[in-house]
Amino acid sequence: MHAKDLLTIGEVVERSGFAHSALRFYEREGLVHTTRTAGGQRRYERSVLRRLAFLRAARAIGIGLDEVRAALATLPADHTPTKADWTRLSQTWRGRLDEQIDALVALRDGLDGCIGCGCLSLARCRLMNPGDRAGADGEGARMLPPVLRRTPA
C-alpha cells in the first residue's frame, strides 16, 4: 500500500463527518483500524470511509454497536470490501428495515389520532383501549408495533 492511499485523522474527519473523538472511540471498540507512522500519528485506509458510512447508517436505524461490530467482522480482512461484500452484509438487515418502514408508515398515518399509549386522553382511546387494558401489558406505548417500542441502543 502506498502512503498516498492512507488518510490522516483530519482527512477522515472532513470526509466522514465524524468527530476526532468518535474515530478514536470506534478504533478502541475495534470498529475501525489504523496504522501508525513512525511518529505515532494515525493513518486510515481509504476503505474506512465506507465502514464509517455503514456505521452511521446502522446507528441511525437503531442498530447497536455490538451488532454493527458483528456485521463488520464478516467483511474480509485481507482486502478492501467489494460491492458484493457490502450487498451481502446489507441483505442481513433487509427484513428488519422493511419491518421498521411498515411500522413508521403505520405510525405516521395514525399519529393524529392515537398512538396506542393507553392514556385514555382521546375519545378514540375509549374505543381502542377501553378501561386502559393496554396498561396491564406493561409500560410504554403497548399498541405500537414492536419495532417502534424497542429502546434505542
Side-chain angles (χ1 to χ4, degrees):
M1 177 179 308
H2 194 274
K4 289 192 305 189
D5 294 331
L6 297 176
L7 303 172
T8 66
I9 193 169
E11 290 169 324
V12 174
V13 164
E14 185 177 323
R15 292 281 309 277
S16 70
F18 282 96
H20 290 80
S21 57
L23 294 176
R24 289 188 295 270
F25 171 77
Y26 291 138
E27 180 184 354
R28 281 193 309 275
E29 291 293 313
L31 297 167
V32 298
H33 305 285
T34 62
T35 58
R36 299 288 181 137
T37 66
Q41 296 176 331
R42 288 175 170 83
R43 293 293 185 263
Y44 296 86
E45 290 184 19
R46 226 169 255 291
S47 61
V48 77
L49 296 173
R50 284 183 185 240
R51 282 180 166 260
L52 290 169
F54 175 79
L55 199 147
R56 183 179 301 278
R59 299 294 289 151
I61 60 170
I63 295 174
L65 285 182
D66 288 339
E67 196 172 347
V68 171
R69 183 181 297 104
L72 290 174
T74 69
L75 294 174
D78 59 341
H79 65 272
T80 299
T82 64
K83 182 180 185 314
D85 293 322
W86 287 108
T87 298
R88 177 187 43 76
L89 189 146
S90 66
Q91 289 299 317
T92 62
W93 290 337
R94 187 168 190 82
R96 179 187 203 155
L97 290 173
D98 289 341
E99 180 185 8
Q100 283 184 298
I101 289 167
D102 292 345
L104 288 169
V105 167
L107 177 62
R108 178 202 64 203
D109 294 347
L111 196 55
D112 62 345
C114 178
I115 59 169
C117 63
C119 67
L120 299 177
S121 64
L122 298 172
R124 187 168 171 201
C125 283
R126 285 191 294 273
L127 300 173
M128 300 280 293
N129 186 23
D132 190 23
R133 69 178 182 273
D137 293 334
E139 64 183 18
R142 305 306 305 167
M143 292 181 186
L144 284 178
V147 70
L148 295 180
R149 289 197 313 256
R150 280 196 288 250
T151 303

